[in-house]
Amino acid sequence: MPASLSCQSVISVRNIVGTSIYNNSGTRTRYVTAACCKNRAARIRVGKGDRPLTYEQALHPHHIGHRKGWLSQHTSNLQGEGGASDRTVEEVFVRCFLFGTFHNCLANEIVIKRRGNMLAVCTLMLQKLPPQKLYFLIGYTETLLSHFYKCPVKLEVQTLEDKAVYKYL
Amino acid sequence: MAKCIYNLYKKKYKKTIKPIITPIPMEAAFHRFLGQSVTEEDNCPAPTKIMAAPMVVGRNIRTFGRIFVGVSQSFLQGSIGLNACRYHGRSTLFRPLQLPAACLHTGTFSSSLPSSVIVTEEPDTLYQKVAVLVKGHDKAVLDSYEFFAILAAKELGVTLGKVFEPPRNIERLTLLKSVHIFKKHRVQYEMRTHYRCIELSRVTGSTAQVYLEYIQRNLPEGVAMEVTKTSMEKVPEHILEPMWNDPLTEEKPSQ
């Protein structure tokens, strides 16, 4: 049939560009999806069922504002406010710093809140370290970060025995 | 009428701030705000042991101190009650606040030494309208903040004008999903800004300062505030009467 032949000549062999042919219903044409179509941001793919996930990891980013809260709360993303890039860079540094200082002890993502000049870092920790070491590390983080950012930094810590599992994927 | 607008959310990195936060005695803060000089005897010892949410000290008190609602309320409650008798003539009488039941109450307010306050004779500025516009990403947070601000105003005896919600603003960005090529696949982000406006009508300068300081210390994180004050000034004497009525003043320019 001339129609189907012309379609097949149009379909390119290259896998990069994704097209789907709607002209011919009934004929079998090649459907090629581009590698970029699916969203992969902040999502953990479904697996065998043995991987525990926290609530934060289990919900996808389009649930932010509906079922999830915000991990960093500051005013620079509001209409008419500035300084968003500076805040983002600061927060990336703070997260990396805390991830390294409290290695293997963080139960969940860090929540950073800015109240006036003060930086409040709210964390959930596992009870892996003895309390004296934990207190030392908390004081060390607070003083070091306050000297870096020239503003009072306060660490609000809550400890858990184990990670709070929401579901298994 | 003069109009002064200032933004209160801006952080000012003026000098290196000590990491250990010393709480400012509430008395001293109120004195500064009410335009009265603080004498040496005012350095009363730190009244509370509130360390759950320490208050930040700084030159611009307006830009600081968004702390836990309950803590600061409990802190200010005591100080408001104490200062009521002292600032009788200058500002409105404060009654202690009736707090909602679900607030955190840490630390007790111990009575400080009575401080001597210098009362100035200059007249207080009068504001016809003080408009407080709060912006935030979360509408629920703004709802609760509006409830808190209205409650505070009612308790302090501040007359409220209208409280309304300006329409929200959504800023959308459409960006390429991939780092390289794939022009047809994009990602869309949006940033929503919700507003709430609370207007106070016919307040004096000192009342407005105190109310605004209280409101700002309890501003939640992620919420910005803009305050617009419309003050009333006396009409200058030389334009009270038209020039053509007065024949004496007309002779001088003709010479």
Side-chain angles (χ1 to χ4, degrees):
Chain A
M1 300 180 197
S4 64
L5 281 173
S6 66
C7 278
Q8 281 181 5
S9 64
V10 160
I11 297 168
S12 58
V13 183
R14 297 181 330 171
N15 291 335
I16 300 171
V17 178
T19 51
S20 74
I21 312 294
Y22 298 108
N23 303 337
N24 296 324
S25 57
T27 50
R28 289 189 193 174
T29 53
R30 208 178 304 155
Y31 286 82
V32 178
T33 348
C36 219
C37 271
K38 288 191 175 205
N39 289 332
R40 297 201 65 96
R43 276 160 240 264
I44 296 176
R45 299 278 153 184
V46 175
K48 292 213 171 141
D50 54 351
R51 184 176 177 176
L53 292 187
T54 57
Y55 187 82
E56 190 70 40
Q57 290 166 329
L59 293 185
H60 294 168
H62 60 264
H63 290 129
I64 292 175
H66 304 275
R67 297 182 206 174
K68 268 169 103 163
W70 283 272
L71 285 179
S72 70
Q73 290 166 357
H74 55 274
T75 57
S76 44
N77 280 329
L78 294 168
Q79 187 73 20
E81 314 280 340
S85 50
D86 299 329
R87 308 294 149 261
T88 320
V89 168
E90 285 167 18
E91 276 162 26
V92 167
F93 177 80
V94 168
R95 282 173 209 279
C96 291
F97 185 86
L98 257 83
F99 184 74
T101 319
F102 299 96
H103 181 246
N104 236 9
C105 287
L106 292 176
N108 208 345
E109 296 281 336
I110 293 156
V111 175
I112 300 176
K113 302 182 182 182
R114 285 164 204 275
R115 298 181 195 134
N117 201 23
M118 188 172 76
L119 206 69
V121 181
C122 314
T123 57
L124 274 175
M125 304 246 184
L126 299 173
Q127 290 164 1
K128 283 196 175 179
L129 290 172
Q132 290 85 9
K133 290 195 183 174
L134 200 61
Y135 282 128
F136 169 76
L137 285 178
I138 290 169
Y140 155 82
T141 332
E142 285 188 357
T143 33
L144 216 57
L145 288 177
S146 331
H147 280 285
F148 282 156
Y149 291 124
K150 310 286 185 270
C151 64
V153 175
K154 188 157 189 330
L155 213 62
E156 286 153 23
V157 176
Q158 192 182 344
T159 51
L160 303 171
E161 283 194 0
D162 284 315
K163 279 194 184 184
V165 179
Y166 178 66
K167 69 187 196 181
Y168 289 90
L169 278 186
Chain B
M1 284 180 241
K3 196 173 179 182
C4 51
I5 302 167
Y6 61 96
N7 286 338
L8 298 143
Y9 58 92
K10 276 186 186 157
K11 283 160 272 187
K12 299 192 181 180
Y13 296 93
K14 288 198 176 177
K15 56 181 177 181
T16 58
I17 297 173
K18 294 178 285 184
I20 302 160
I21 301 134
T22 51
I24 179 175
M26 213 51 222
E27 310 265 320
F30 269 112
H31 296 168
R32 267 180 232 157
F33 251 74
L34 293 170
Q36 295 155 355
S37 62
V38 180
T39 58
E40 295 311 313
E41 297 122 37
D42 276 348
N43 293 332
C44 34
T48 64
K49 298 165 197 116
I50 299 175
M51 279 304 121
M55 290 197 222
V56 181
V57 182
R59 268 183 270 160
N60 294 339
I61 296 180
R62 287 182 214 137
T63 61
F64 291 136
R66 300 170 192 170
I67 48 180
F68 289 143
V69 176
V71 174
S72 61
Q73 278 182 352
S74 65
F75 195 28
L76 280 160
Q77 186 184 12
S79 53
I80 282 173
L82 233 169
N83 288 333
C85 47
R86 224 170 281 129
Y87 307 131
H88 201 83
R90 284 292 310 275
S91 50
T92 59
L93 255 182
F94 306 123
R95 279 168 280 132
L97 284 183
Q98 307 300 323
L99 299 170
C103 69
L104 180 68
H105 194 92
T106 57
T108 51
F109 185 79
S110 56
S111 60
S112 50
L113 301 165
S115 52
S116 58
V117 173
I118 298 169
V119 179
T120 51
E121 289 304 318
E122 59 178 47
D124 206 357
T125 43
L126 301 169
Y127 293 114
Q128 196 194 44
K129 189 174 70 167
V130 174
V132 173
L133 178 75
V134 255
K135 315 188 243 190
H137 288 301
D138 200 356
K139 206 170 163 191
V141 170
L142 293 179
D143 285 335
S144 86
Y145 188 72
E146 176 206 323
F147 172 76
F148 157 73
I150 289 172
L151 186 72
K154 280 185 189 160
E155 290 297 326
L156 292 173
V158 176
T159 46
L160 278 176
K162 22 175 199 168
V163 177
F164 61 101
E165 189 183 346
R168 70 170 178 198
N169 179 59
I170 304 180
E171 186 188 335
R172 293 198 174 98
L173 305 168
T174 310
L175 309 169
L176 296 173
K177 196 192 270 190
S178 173
V179 164
H180 182 54
I181 50 173
F182 299 114
K183 192 63 175 259
K184 288 183 199 173
H185 303 95
R186 312 230 182 176
V187 129
Q188 288 184 315
Y189 297 105
E190 63 178 32
M191 289 179 276
R192 297 186 177 187
T193 310
H194 301 271
Y195 299 95
R196 206 56 68 102
C197 191
I198 299 159
E199 283 185 13
L200 321 167
S201 57
R202 299 182 307 275
V203 276
T204 53
S206 38
T207 318
Q209 272 181 342
V210 170
Y211 178 75
L212 286 174
E213 191 201 346
Y214 182 58
I215 289 289
Q216 285 150 37
R217 280 189 187 265
N218 291 296
L219 204 63
E221 49 275 334
V223 172
M225 190 199 277
E226 281 181 10
V227 175
T228 311
K229 293 180 180 174
T230 312
S231 69
M232 294 192 281
E233 280 181 12
K234 210 172 171 182
V235 178
E237 285 175 3
H238 63 272
I239 61 169
L240 269 176
E241 286 192 4
M243 279 193 68
W244 52 80
N245 279 351
D246 207 357
L248 291 170
T249 52
E250 275 181 22
E251 283 171 12
K252 288 174 194 172
S254 64
Q255 286 170 5

